[in-house]
Amino acid sequence: MGRRPALLVIDMSVGFTSPKSPLYCELDAAVAAIEQLLDVARERRLPVVYTTVSYGLGDQAVAKAFIEKVPALLALAEGSPFTEIDPRLRPLPGEPVLNKLFASAFFGTSLQSLLAAHDCDAVLVTGASTSGCVRATAVDVLQNGYRLVIPREAVGDRNLAAHEQALYDIDAKYGDVVSLEESLSWLAALPMSSVPEVVER
């Protein structure tokens, strides 16, 4: 599944994890799984990357068609608490949070450059939603030349049928959908990275 993966945490912001948000998903199980993955990835000093979605006025003009399709995205206004990463998964200093305007974590962001800078050959994709941003990112992981791994327990969706169909498609065409246990064992068996560990201060 790769020798140098990055852990990508997609859109686990308050806007998707809080029942107060119009974009809310039930993601408590995914949060718990991602917490475990973060612990091991940080222990092995692997790159950890987050994404969020935030729209300033200029961004709203750029993403006009997407917002017209999903008007609830306007809840993710620049500066809103809904754009902040869920406190249970708070990034450590040095762990980048990339802002995206569309579904894929690659489109319009510096993710590809970041993965290349860290000599990654695989991406472990987690987050929400499975049938939307996770699936779009999964396709681009493959198309950018990386191996794709998705821990089943670490992704979530509002619609269970869409969740299962997306995972089926991803596993059939783009990468490997595996258990959380298998993912944790894989990460734990990797050699310690020479990149200095990020320490919270």
Side-chain angles (χ1 to χ4, degrees):
M1 295 192 290
R3 57 172 179 76
R4 173 71 172 161
L7 174 58
L8 179 58
V9 182
I10 297 178
D11 296 356
M12 293 300 283
S13 64
V14 177
F16 292 93
T17 63
S18 170
K20 297 178 180 179
S21 169
L23 294 163
Y24 171 68
C25 298
E26 173 47 64
L27 294 170
D28 284 349
V31 168
I34 294 169
E35 285 180 306
Q36 295 182 61
L37 292 162
L38 284 169
D39 286 344
V40 178
R42 287 165 175 164
E43 178 184 291
R44 306 316 293 170
R45 300 178 183 172
L46 296 170
V48 174
V49 187
Y50 293 78
T51 71
T52 188
V53 179
S54 172
Y55 296 105
L57 291 178
D59 299 324
Q60 291 177 28
V62 172
K64 182 175 182 291
F66 193 22
I67 292 170
E68 286 179 350
K69 181 65 180 176
V70 188
L73 289 170
L74 287 173
L76 304 175
E78 186 176 40
S80 166
F82 285 156
T83 68
E84 298 173 4
I85 302 300
D86 188 297
R88 294 170 291 179
L89 302 173
R90 183 174 286 115
L92 297 184
E95 292 176 347
V97 180
L98 307 180
N99 191 63
K100 64 186 183 69
L101 306 182
F102 297 95
S104 173
F106 283 88
F107 190 86
T109 76
S110 57
L111 180 57
Q112 168 72 321
S113 296
L114 192 153
L115 295 173
H118 286 274
D119 194 28
C120 294
D121 66 343
V123 184
L124 190 69
V125 175
T126 66
S129 64
T130 315
S131 63
C133 297
V134 169
R135 190 185 191 283
T137 299
V139 174
D140 279 353
V141 168
L142 177 71
Q143 291 178 157
N144 280 280
Y146 299 97
R147 294 179 181 272
L148 168 68
V149 179
I150 295 184
R152 175 177 288 275
E153 296 91 335
V155 293
D157 202 293
R158 298 173 198 84
N159 183 308
L160 180 59
H163 168 81
E164 292 296 339
Q165 184 62 52
L167 290 179
Y168 177 87
D169 285 344
I170 290 167
D171 193 56
K173 303 168 186 173
Y174 307 118
D176 295 303
V177 177
V178 301
S179 68
L180 174 63
E181 181 180 2
E182 185 174 351
S183 300
L184 292 170
S185 296
W186 166 49
L187 294 180
L190 292 170
M192 186 75 75
S193 169
S194 59
V195 177
E197 185 175 6
V198 175
V199 178
E200 188 168 14
R201 298 185 187 280

